[in-house]
Amino acid sequence: MLTLPEVGSTNDWLRENASQFPDGQWVRAERQTSGRGRLGRQWQMPEGNLAMSGLIRPQPGEGNPAELGFVAALALHDVMAGLTDTARLQLKWPNDVLLDGAKLSGILLEREGDQLVLGIGVNIVAAPKLPDRATISLADLGLVIAAADFAERLAASFAARRAEWRAGGFAATRAEWLARAHPIGTPLWASQQEGRVAGRFAGLDPDGALRLDGEDGRVHVIHAGDVWGAPPAIGPTNGERG
């Protein structure tokens, strides 16, 4: 694990310096000033929170690199399960870990040529306020862990989960993810290019796409978009990674 005092974005830094490092290299920043999440959103990072990125060079036997978002979510869940009751944790499609129903962390997977950079942010000491969803930090619940310690645990857990994915394929990872996700039948709202749709969670397609039994009587298969457990606020979302 390489630790930097300050960077604009750990993803950007690792991508720009990727030629210096092997597959599996992680970098963590004590302070990140220009972090971002999916769809170019700003990712707020108060000092003491975790911002880290890993370099992934696809290896023989590995599947679709997009599946690594689910691998990372399982690794995050593993680390959190060592800190609190698993009943308080839940995975939310496509890439959130929830604690007591509020957003704790986010994941950003970016491709750069034949390699990928996996960015992970975790609210350890403070949670940014978002207009469209509840957020939480570990400190809000009295859970104390240094960002450096969390990062080391997460890197080890990701390596183990990645090895399982390589050996067992996505079907096993998908089943593990579903066992930790919102239950089948959970009311959800999803936002995609065609607009917003309300329905109930109907699981994942074999490729990881979200299946939603829509209130319009159709089954919607969503490959990209945002998902809420309640009607979302109108307007842009700021401060979200993942």
Side-chain angles (χ1 to χ4, degrees):
M1 179 75 64
L2 178 63
T3 301
L4 303 173
E6 180 176 318
V7 296
S9 158
T10 55
N11 265 32
D12 288 347
W13 189 94
L14 188 54
R15 187 173 62 250
E16 292 164 3
N17 294 278
S19 62
Q20 303 177 36
F21 300 110
D23 173 63
Q25 176 68 51
W26 288 92
V27 60
R28 181 182 70 87
E30 296 283 0
R31 186 166 181 265
Q32 180 176 251
T33 58
S34 303
R36 66 181 182 281
R38 289 188 313 115
L39 308 179
R41 294 166 177 153
Q42 180 187 11
W43 174 260
Q44 300 173 28
M45 189 219 163
E47 276 195 73
N49 279 4
L50 175 63
M52 63 186 288
S53 297
L55 180 65
I56 299 170
R57 303 186 192 278
Q59 301 297 304
E62 294 187 337
N64 183 346
E67 297 166 1
L68 285 163
F70 295 90
V71 175
L74 287 175
L76 271 166
H77 191 283
D78 290 343
V79 176
M80 284 304 306
L83 300 174
T84 189
D85 185 350
T86 56
R88 306 177 77 170
L89 302 171
Q90 189 176 84
L91 301 182
K92 184 179 78 63
W93 192 93
N95 56 7
D96 285 351
V97 178
L98 306 183
L99 177 60
D100 288 350
K103 182 180 174 76
L104 174 71
S105 66
I107 299 165
L108 177 64
L109 187 63
E110 297 182 309
R111 180 181 286 276
E112 179 71 16
D114 61 354
Q115 62 198 14
L116 298 99
V117 176
L118 174 66
I120 299 177
V122 182
N123 299 330
I124 291 182
V125 300
K129 301 300 181 185
L130 302 182
D132 65 343
R133 68 198 66 197
T135 59
I136 196 169
S137 71
L138 299 183
D140 290 333
L141 300 181
L143 299 176
V144 178
I145 183 172
D149 187 6
F150 195 107
E152 292 290 349
R153 296 188 196 187
L154 182 54
S157 182
F158 179 80
R161 285 291 184 179
R162 183 181 177 187
E164 291 175 0
W165 168 66
R166 184 185 304 126
F170 184 58
T173 295
R174 174 179 172 273
E176 293 256 18
W177 189 95
L178 283 168
R180 294 159 176 77
H182 24 59
I184 299 295
T186 298
L188 296 176
W189 283 68
S191 175
Q192 50 185 341
Q193 286 187 339
E194 295 79 9
R196 288 172 172 167
V197 59
R200 294 183 178 275
F201 180 54
L204 301 178
D205 260 11
D207 65 356
L210 175 74
R211 294 182 62 84
L212 194 67
D213 287 334
E215 292 181 354
D216 57 6
R218 299 167 50 205
V219 175
H220 297 264
V221 179
I222 300 170
H223 291 88
D226 285 325
V227 173
W228 297 266
I234 302 299
T237 304
N238 296 311
E240 180 188 3
R241 182 172 195 165

